[in-house]
């Protein structure tokens, strides 16, 4: 799946802070955009679903 995880619902929270690909609904239309997740702040908008990078892809890109 090109280094990305499966889609998760908004109820499932990411494990670590960072940017995630998210689907948000604006005016009855779904848009895909990158949003930053932080465990203390949450999501900046109401999202429908999200996905991130797999562990392998994260490490390949220099993740810590």
């Amino acid at each position: 799946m090109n280094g990305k995880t499966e889609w998760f619902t908004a109820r499932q929270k990411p494990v670590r802070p960072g940017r995630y690909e998210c689907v948000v609904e604006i005016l009855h239309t779904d848009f895909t955009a990158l949003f930053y997740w932080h465990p203390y702040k949450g999501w900046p908008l109401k999202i429908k679903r999200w996905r991130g990078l797999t562990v392998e892809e994260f490490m390949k890109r220099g993740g810590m």
Side-chain angles (χ1 to χ4, degrees):
M1 267 182 55
N2 66 7
K4 296 181 182 177
T5 64
E6 62 184 70
W7 287 101
F8 295 99
T9 66
R11 288 185 176 193
Q12 298 168 293
K13 303 301 180 199
V15 175
R16 60 183 176 266
R19 286 189 314 214
Y20 292 88
E21 184 178 4
C22 301
V23 174
V24 294
E25 183 179 337
I26 300 172
L27 298 174
H28 305 291
T29 305
D30 288 346
F31 292 95
T32 302
L34 293 176
F35 289 104
Y36 189 81
W37 158 261
H38 192 278
Y40 301 120
K41 297 178 182 176
W43 297 109
L45 294 173
K46 183 162 174 39
I47 66 162
K48 293 175 77 173
R49 58 185 183 267
W50 63 272
R51 70 178 176 179
L53 298 175
T54 61
V55 173
E56 294 82 16
E57 185 68 20
F58 180 74
M59 296 306 288
K60 193 186 318 180
R61 294 184 184 193
M64 300 177 111

